[in-house]
Amino acid sequence: MATTARRDLEETREVLRGWLQDRHGATDVEISPLTSPKAGYSNETLYLHLAWTPPDGPRRGEDLVLRIEPTGHQLFVTPDAVRQARIMQALAPHPGVPVPTIWYIEPDPAVLGSPFYLMGRVDGRVPGDVPSWHAEGWTVELSPAQRSVMHDNALTSLVALHRIDVRDGFDFLTPAGSGTALDRYLAALRDWHTWAQPSLRWEPDTVAAAVDHLLRERPDDPSAGIVWGDARVGNISFGADLSVRAMFDWETATVGPPGIDLGWWLMFEDFLCEAQRLTRLEGVPDRAAIIARYQELSGRPVEHIDYYELLAATVMTLINSRLGVLLMTSGGLPERVASAYARRTIRMIRRGLDRVAA
């Protein structure tokens, strides 16, 4: 991660130790050396082990994750670490939607240079994106029946999320503006597309055509529920029994039709598999089967899914285009490599435009 490389990790560790010591009410707080995962650009993420002795008990230890709002790079228009932590706090009481425990939230940028939060580190396995979990990693070693269970458990958690009433403590998620939840989502997409213009170096006309279609041909969908925004198997930690231990990455969570999440789920499976000429692992359902199973689990029909898949591919292209620029400017990668993700989702946009035009 580019930002982590520029941060003085030992200095951050010492500042954080003092900050935590004040909050724990203990005098012997210790923090292990900070380490960072290999992937992740939407937040600066660091792993640590915290040990302390409470005033009224034996010494304790916890593995934690520190997530710091980005300053040196920005994939999204308005990154907001505090909002992400609040979402997980609000989701925690709801059955079927497990999230990491939020320990502390610090909105003051003076402490570490940007707002941050600390959450519990979940013991589980997460399917990989690079390389795709359809090609390498622990998921390949599972039996087809086990992969089927894994995917079904994941989809069941998505349906559980969509059953939550947004009025149950999620008012802060509702974006400002008028019209339906979809209208507000699309207004944000329009603004995002405008903000992302300097990063749209690869086929900007194709991206513009997709945005124009999405704004012009929006479906009549008045539904409004919690939208994860990054709904996919790779944002889930699974236990040894393939149960869902935690759902991660709530940066783009909002209020909108559940089709936004299902479209993203379908798009991302394609992105990690067929779009890079891989064969979907046996036991993992195909597009039609995922739609049918979601419909069965939710008890409601899936409508306008071609539209929502195109919407997902367009949003993913805005992210990947920005990421491509960051990989060139901060990571030093050649354009051919840095643009690969963006070019893949642009091909998906073209297929999506052909599908909605048919």
Side-chain angles (χ1 to χ4, degrees):
M1 177 186 293
T3 305
T4 304
R6 293 192 294 269
R7 179 180 291 276
D8 186 324
L9 294 184
E10 191 55 38
E11 179 182 346
T12 299
R13 176 188 178 195
E14 186 57 30
V15 170
L16 189 64
R17 189 194 67 79
W19 184 87
L20 283 167
Q21 185 166 284
D22 290 343
R23 279 148 186 79
H24 269 304
T27 58
D28 57 350
V29 171
E30 295 181 359
I31 296 178
S32 67
L34 304 179
T35 60
S36 61
K38 295 180 180 180
Y41 271 83
S42 57
N43 285 277
E44 184 178 354
T45 302
L46 297 166
Y47 296 150
L48 61 103
H49 181 79
L50 171 67
W52 77 101
T53 304
D56 56 351
R59 191 161 182 78
R60 292 185 56 189
E62 292 285 345
D63 290 323
L64 300 179
V65 179
L66 170 64
R67 301 202 79 181
I68 307 171
E69 190 172 293
T71 54
H73 64 260
Q74 206 171 308
L75 286 183
F76 305 109
V77 181
T78 54
D80 191 336
V82 172
R83 179 177 180 271
Q84 295 168 44
R86 288 185 64 198
I87 291 168
M88 286 184 276
Q89 284 181 323
L91 287 171
H94 292 274
V97 188
V99 291
T101 300
I102 299 299
W103 279 59
Y104 294 110
I105 303 174
E106 179 53 78
D108 187 356
V111 180
L112 293 181
S114 193
F116 65 90
Y117 62 91
L118 279 159
M119 64 183 180
R121 188 169 179 181
V122 176
D123 182 20
R125 297 184 294 180
V126 179
D129 291 341
V130 184
S132 168
W133 64 268
H134 286 277
E136 294 185 30
W138 62 272
T139 50
V140 176
E141 300 171 1
L142 298 176
S143 69
Q146 288 175 316
R147 285 191 288 265
S148 180
V149 168
M150 180 192 78
H151 190 278
D152 203 64
N153 287 343
L155 199 62
T156 298
S157 291
L158 179 63
V159 170
L161 173 70
H162 291 164
R163 288 200 179 108
I164 297 174
D165 191 328
V166 296
R167 295 169 295 183
D168 189 10
F170 294 91
D171 292 342
F172 67 96
L173 267 185
T174 303
S178 59
T180 66
L182 179 58
D183 290 336
R184 297 180 186 191
Y185 186 90
L186 292 174
L189 173 66
R190 181 192 60 225
D191 294 343
W192 191 355
H193 179 240
T194 300
W195 174 82
Q197 288 300 312
S199 300
L200 300 179
R201 303 187 183 185
W202 306 286
E203 297 194 40
D205 292 345
T206 300
V207 181
V211 172
D212 180 68
H213 174 89
L214 293 166
L215 296 175
R216 188 182 66 251
E217 303 294 337
R218 67 190 70 190
D220 180 15
D221 189 345
S223 57
I226 298 174
V227 170
W228 188 352
D230 198 2
R232 56 191 178 91
V233 174
N235 270 340
I236 294 176
S237 177
F238 294 91
D241 61 354
L242 302 176
S243 62
V244 173
R245 296 292 311 280
M247 301 160 74
F248 301 119
D249 289 345
W250 299 91
E251 286 89 343
T252 53
T254 186
V255 171
I260 294 174
D261 272 344
L262 183 58
W264 187 272
W265 190 282
L266 296 169
M267 178 278 299
F268 219 95
E269 284 300 287
D270 187 355
F271 178 75
L272 290 182
C273 193
E274 291 85 4
Q276 52 180 313
R277 298 180 178 88
L278 296 176
T279 300
R280 196 164 298 211
L281 287 171
E282 187 180 356
V284 180
D286 62 13
R287 178 181 183 270
I290 292 172
I291 293 171
R293 182 58 174 155
Y294 179 92
Q295 187 166 276
E296 179 183 3
L297 289 168
S298 65
R300 56 175 177 263
V302 171
E303 299 178 318
H304 318 297
I305 195 59
D306 290 345
Y307 176 92
Y308 286 120
E309 280 187 87
L310 175 61
L311 176 60
T314 303
V315 171
M316 188 65 170
T317 298
L318 296 180
I319 296 170
N320 284 341
S321 296
R322 175 64 178 158
L323 177 59
V325 172
L326 289 171
L327 289 172
M328 288 190 295
T329 58
S330 299
L333 293 181
E335 180 176 358
R336 177 184 59 81
V337 177
S339 67
Y341 295 155
R343 293 186 186 280
R344 190 189 307 170
T345 47
I346 288 169
R347 291 194 298 270
M348 296 172 71
I349 284 179
R350 290 200 298 267
R351 284 195 283 114
L353 287 171
D354 289 342
R355 180 181 289 169
V356 297

